[in-house]
Amino acid sequence: MAERDDKASLLQTTTLSAEDRAKLRAARGLPAVAPGSTSLLVYSRDGVRLVTLQEGQSLVIGREPPADITVRDSSLSRQHASLELSSGVLWVEDLQSTNGTWVNGERVERSKVEPGAELAFGAVVALVPSLRSAEASAAGLEGHDRFQRVLEVEALRARTFGRKLACLMLRAEGHVGRWFERIQPRLRRFDACGLYSQDTLEVLLPEEDAAGARGLVATLARDVPGLRCGLGLMPDHACSAEGLLALTHDALRRTSPAQPLQLAVEEACGESPEAACAPGCLVIRSPATVEVYRVVERLARSSIPVLIFGETGTGKEMVARAIHQQSKRSAKPIRCVNCGGIPAQLVESTLFGHEKGAFTGAERQAAGVFESADGGSVLLDEIGELPPAAQAALLRVLETKRFTRVGSTKELEVDVRILAATHKDLEAMAKAGTFREDLLYRLNAMTLRLPPLRERVEEIEPLALYFLTQACQADGRKVAGIAPEALDLLRQHDWPGNVRELRNAIERAVVITRGPRLEVEDLPERVREHGRLAPQPAAEAAPGGAPSEINLKSEMNRLEAELIRKALVRSHWDRNLAASSLGLPLRTLSHKMQVLGIRRDD
């Protein structure tokens, strides 16, 4: 926190010279500001943009060219309003727009704009701040889509190197632009800040633990009256970018004036986005999902361990709960633990309990997950994250049904059914020596593979509509449905984050939409871009034998499939060898084989 306070003090007390400001702008890639100019910040669903007007210059803002400032928002007319700087005074003039031009909440035809004023062009807001805050906001506030890409990179880094990562969602009265300049000086240069909606910021804090994040929130609350905050931590609450974002948003929803800070609820404790789909709202439409739940019915009748494999966000916890609820153990508890969210030194204590005084901080005897689930089931989510010592202890429980609390020599007997879940290739980990092979053999008495969302396209629409209903209820919005064009894009997207990513996309769309239904422009950029790049039906040859058009995406997929198939044939369909020759991780090769439909010939 000392670094944050020093930075804030420096920014608040330092007065930059004109030359220094020019250097700062150049370093940030911002256009030079000449004497006799003014700047304004234009906020849209894609982020914030700094617009500079020179003396005597006039610019038109609108939805599409020939407007000088184009903003992708249906609330804008094609040429909505003009901005002009004349004799040092900024003027705005409405160009007979549909939704009007507003200055400080009043609709105007032509009006003088004072410094600090708030302009609204339909749903697009522009502020006229001081030069310093304009530069800071333009350089420090990303659009949601770019923020999400940064979050994915930092989440991968945190998982790979075992680092902490905190995510905040901040909401206060009024437009974000009114209070962001009080937030930014408190952030470090490597923190990231995104515009979730007009009144909500999302902040990413790499290398920050719970205490540091709480301290920052307390400081921000003093700077911004009425601030509310949802706080999510990785790996404490989630092990993926999509999960962290979803749980942090849920925490923000639970805030109130009496409780302005809410901590996320651990996703492996029944509060995950996957569990939110069950049991009354379970969507089973595709043949792949139907087959999964047929197997679930059969597995529920036995007590053998089950290894549930699936990509992040496919619903592994939901399947584990279905197995437990349909079994004879349903009257007993199911205990879920996220193996990736427990500090290595506390894994055995969490699973098997501890005696008083067993280690520093163990002030009393405590039962572990297995002891509290006696007679029921235990779900070990992300089991590939278990450290070696805990793997050995788990193997012993599987073989003997006995365990020992940390700090004790007394053996306790337990009757639990073990369900394990992972998105990792445990076989490859076993070959690499990072996961016990004998434990793998005991766990995968039955392996259940969950299909990713891209393999069950039939379920995308009902899931999207369900999440739409949920989001409207939670946020007090009235959105009637999803436009057909938007549904088409949802079906075309490959959803690497699966059900969780779909939920996040719909929830934000509900917050930012201005119409009676979700439109294409309300969807994330990656969904819209995927739709533009999706393979189109092959064009027929033109009259006279002219060659048909080549679709770049489909041609690249064809070439990629050909290269992968050749590598597999050369390696006699040994995926490890093929992945090595292609320079790909094994999991990436397996994923590409699924997407491209590559299967071994009979």
Side-chain angles (χ1 to χ4, degrees), residues 50-361:
L50 178 65
V51 175
T52 302
L53 281 86
Q54 310 295 340
E55 176 62 41
Q57 186 179 20
S58 177
L59 298 176
V60 172
I61 183 170
R63 192 173 68 241
E64 58 189 47
D68 304 292
I69 309 166
T70 56
V71 181
R72 180 190 57 85
D73 195 299
S74 61
S75 67
L76 264 70
S77 298
R78 287 183 174 84
Q79 297 188 62
H80 195 102
S82 68
L83 298 158
E84 180 183 4
L85 185 63
S86 176
S87 301
V89 177
L90 178 63
W91 294 86
V92 62
E93 182 176 356
D94 187 70
L95 301 178
Q96 298 183 336
S97 65
T98 301
N99 293 320
T101 299
W102 306 72
V103 178
N104 293 331
E106 294 186 7
R107 188 164 185 167
V108 300
E109 296 299 324
R110 178 177 170 82
S111 175
K112 179 181 177 181
V113 181
E114 301 288 349
E118 178 176 313
L119 289 75
F121 311 101
V124 176
V125 172
L127 301 177
V128 186
S130 66
L131 175 62
R132 184 180 70 184
S133 62
E135 291 173 340
S137 296
L141 186 56
E142 306 285 1
H144 173 72
D145 293 294
R146 180 171 173 79
F147 175 86
Q148 196 165 15
R149 289 193 288 271
V150 174
L151 172 59
E152 288 166 356
V153 171
E154 289 295 339
L156 177 61
R157 178 174 174 272
R159 284 199 307 270
T160 303
F161 299 105
R163 304 299 179 88
K164 294 288 186 179
L165 182 64
C167 183
L168 308 178
M169 275 205 170
L170 306 171
R171 180 174 293 162
E173 292 297 325
H175 192 277
V176 161
R178 291 293 183 192
W179 46 272
F180 172 60
E181 62 180 7
R182 283 171 276 169
I183 298 289
Q184 193 193 30
R186 301 292 183 182
L187 303 180
R188 302 163 298 184
R189 59 182 178 80
F190 50 83
D191 294 335
C193 196
L195 183 65
Y196 186 81
S197 66
Q198 289 195 359
D199 66 348
T200 304
L201 283 177
E202 45 200 359
V203 181
L204 189 62
L205 308 174
E207 308 282 347
E208 194 70 280
D209 59 13
R214 284 178 178 271
L216 173 62
V217 172
T219 301
L220 298 180
R222 292 195 296 268
D223 296 337
V224 183
L227 186 72
R228 298 187 188 186
C229 176
L231 169 59
L233 300 164
M234 187 174 179
D236 306 55
H237 302 130
C239 290
S240 69
E242 293 289 350
L244 184 62
L245 192 63
L247 293 171
T248 305
H249 188 210
D250 285 342
L252 176 64
R253 283 172 166 168
R254 289 187 275 108
T255 60
S256 66
Q259 294 181 311
L261 172 62
Q262 287 286 348
L263 203 63
V265 178
E266 186 178 351
E267 68 177 341
C269 292
E271 298 295 335
S272 70
E274 301 157 6
C277 300
C281 53
L282 187 63
V283 174
I284 303 177
R285 298 287 179 85
S286 72
T289 309
V290 169
E291 181 58 30
V292 165
Y293 280 90
R294 282 177 180 164
V295 175
V296 164
E297 289 181 8
R298 295 198 297 270
L299 289 174
R301 295 193 289 266
S302 73
S303 292
I304 62 172
V306 179
L307 180 61
I308 306 170
F309 175 80
E311 296 178 9
T312 298
T314 48
K316 298 186 289 294
E317 182 186 337
M318 192 170 76
V319 168
R321 289 180 177 277
I323 292 173
H324 174 77
Q325 289 163 4
Q326 297 179 43
S327 73
K328 295 179 180 179
R329 298 172 176 265
S330 59
K332 296 291 184 177
I334 176 172
R335 296 286 184 253
C336 306
V337 58
N338 187 337
C339 299
I342 312 171
Q345 65 273 22
L346 296 178
V347 171
E348 290 189 68
S349 171
T350 301
L351 296 180
F352 308 118
H354 61 261
E355 297 292 340
K356 180 179 179 180
F359 49 84
T360 303

